[in-house]
Amino acid sequence: MNKNITSQLMNWHQHENLREMPWKEEKDPYKIWLSEVILQQTRVEQGTAYYERFIQNFPTIKDLANSKDEVVFKLWEGLGYYNRCKNLLATARFITNELDGVFPSEYEQIINLKGIGPYTGAAIASFAFNKPFAVLDGNVFRVLSRLFGIDTPIDSTIGKQQFSKLAQDVLDKENPALFNQAIMDFGATVCKPMSPHCRTCPLQSACSGFEMGIVNKLPVKEKVLKKKNRWFYYFILQYQDTFLVEKRTGKDIWENLHEFYLLESTEQLIWNDSSIHDWLQEQLGIENAIVLGISPLQKQQLTHQLIKGQFIKVEIKSMHTQLQKHQWLPMNEVVKLAFPKYINQYLSV
DNA sequence: AACGCGGGGTT
DNA sequence: AACCCAGCGTT
């Protein structure tokens, strides 16, 4: 039964899979690792250009390890989930400096690396080293839940265990790299989230979900993410030809990216020249500011929060000690730093 | 076990 | 607006 599904997926892969990606059939663990990290929670179409740019700038893991943080973050800019970039660098440096530049080939060692979990570990172990570890990503959850008609929530602990075991059971142990590629491509192009191609699906007769008429109800998720609204008011402070720029450090969105002077509020604030002068005077001790502009309302929708606010451009005529403690950079230095899209969409206007 | 983390495409 | 995307780390 399961053997049948395995061979049918392999058969589909061999004869009908037309999906192409730059890293397909790649065997260099560095390139596989890089592509997999870029693709975590990221569509292939979105990640491909980033992959090409990373390979171009860092042909080997040593090139990546020896690069400065800011250069790498600038290349990652706009891709999101920036801890991936931080962990990518940490792992590149660890392998280069501590492992003599040799990527580990054992699954247990691979998943101990920062930024590599069960999915990415199985992907590297199978694609680079052809070891029999089944990948379990969003595609595999969906394909298996439908093929076997399983309504266990995929985001529950028991669900993860159940599907992990099933994926390993279905895996073609003789051809793990090919099979893992097959089941993910099948999920992405045939067994799609919306309007899957059930009518022409080669596995239709083997699909319990189809037989029960519940394909469009699978997979089941139990968690609902809660959203919140935040107001970000950025003061772009200019002194002569320099700008106040800070790096975000807290456990919050956009950690390790840069920003201007931030005033965050839980509610909307209404600004005019007078209220801006008052606020600058009270909060920063700035007496002689010139308000150069107040932007229209800006919005950025994230998965879990909605950021709204404005950008207020201010020129200050004299520097004082409190302000001097911040970092002031000319624009040609500012543009080398990585910023969140919320700020970049203002800067590029 | 629950939560937080980006940005973009599709429906 | 809701959902999803070659998930992972922290608490």
Side-chain angles (χ1 to χ4, degrees), chain A residues 13-266:
Chain A
H13 185 55
Q14 188 182 349
H15 295 107
E16 299 182 54
N17 187 3
L18 301 176
R19 207 179 187 207
E20 294 184 8
M21 290 163 288
W23 49 86
K24 218 162 190 177
E25 297 177 32
E26 177 63 60
K27 290 299 170 193
D28 180 352
Y30 164 61
K31 293 182 180 173
I32 293 171
W33 164 61
L34 176 63
S35 71
E36 295 300 343
V37 173
I38 286 176
L39 292 175
Q40 286 166 5
Q41 289 293 282
T42 304
R43 293 169 183 274
V44 169
E45 305 79 51
Q46 186 187 2
T48 300
Y50 283 84
Y51 172 80
E52 303 279 20
R53 256 176 280 153
F54 265 76
I55 291 298
Q56 216 164 42
N57 283 272
F58 318 115
T60 70
I61 193 168
K62 190 175 175 184
D63 297 315
L64 178 57
N66 292 335
S67 300
K68 292 188 174 178
D69 290 19
E70 293 306 343
V71 172
V72 182
F73 271 93
K74 188 66 183 175
L75 268 182
W76 196 275
E77 183 181 53
L79 193 56
Y81 286 161
Y82 297 93
N83 264 331
R84 290 184 293 172
C85 185
K86 178 186 174 186
N87 288 330
L88 189 79
L89 262 171
T91 293
R93 288 168 182 161
F94 175 74
I95 292 177
T96 300
N97 300 327
E98 309 297 328
L99 303 183
D100 210 21
V102 180
F103 210 104
S105 59
E106 297 299 325
Y107 177 81
E108 306 303 333
Q109 300 167 9
I110 294 172
I111 57 166
N112 275 333
L113 300 168
K114 286 182 182 174
I116 299 183
Y119 164 76
T120 306
I124 296 171
S126 62
F127 292 142
F129 304 106
N130 209 35
K131 299 203 166 167
F133 291 88
V135 293
L136 186 52
D137 74 334
N139 291 304
V140 180
F141 274 118
R142 187 172 56 255
V143 170
L144 294 181
S145 70
R146 289 172 175 174
L147 279 178
F148 293 89
I150 300 171
D151 61 0
T152 313
I154 62 172
D155 53 356
S156 65
T157 302
I158 187 72
K160 285 172 194 166
Q161 289 172 355
Q162 184 179 2
F163 282 100
S164 175
K165 189 173 181 305
L166 184 55
Q168 195 61 33
D169 190 35
V170 172
L171 175 69
D172 182 342
K173 279 81 175 176
E174 303 296 315
N175 305 287
L178 282 178
F179 179 85
N180 279 338
Q181 191 64 59
I183 193 169
M184 288 195 287
D185 286 345
F186 181 79
T189 61
V190 178
C191 199
K192 301 185 294 180
M194 310 285 176
S195 46
H197 300 170
C198 294
R199 204 183 307 273
T200 57
C201 178
L203 278 77
Q204 187 198 92
S205 63
C207 183
S208 299
F210 182 82
E211 190 182 350
M212 295 187 280
I214 56 171
V215 166
N216 61 354
K217 297 193 179 307
L218 298 174
V220 172
K221 288 190 180 178
E222 63 181 3
K223 294 181 175 53
V224 286
L225 80 165
K226 32 187 175 181
K227 300 187 172 180
K228 55 178 175 178
N229 296 328
R230 303 170 75 177
W231 294 89
F232 279 21
Y233 293 95
Y234 278 116
F235 289 84
I236 303 182
L237 301 177
Q238 181 175 3
Y239 173 69
Q240 295 175 354
D241 63 344
T242 64
F243 298 84
L244 190 160
V245 177
E246 298 183 317
K247 188 172 185 173
R248 288 178 66 83
T249 54
K251 295 275 176 221
D252 194 5
I253 56 171
W254 305 330
E255 187 181 356
N256 293 304
L257 269 58
H258 293 81
E259 63 183 359
F260 300 102
Y261 194 96
L262 172 63
L263 167 61
E264 182 176 355
S265 167
T266 54

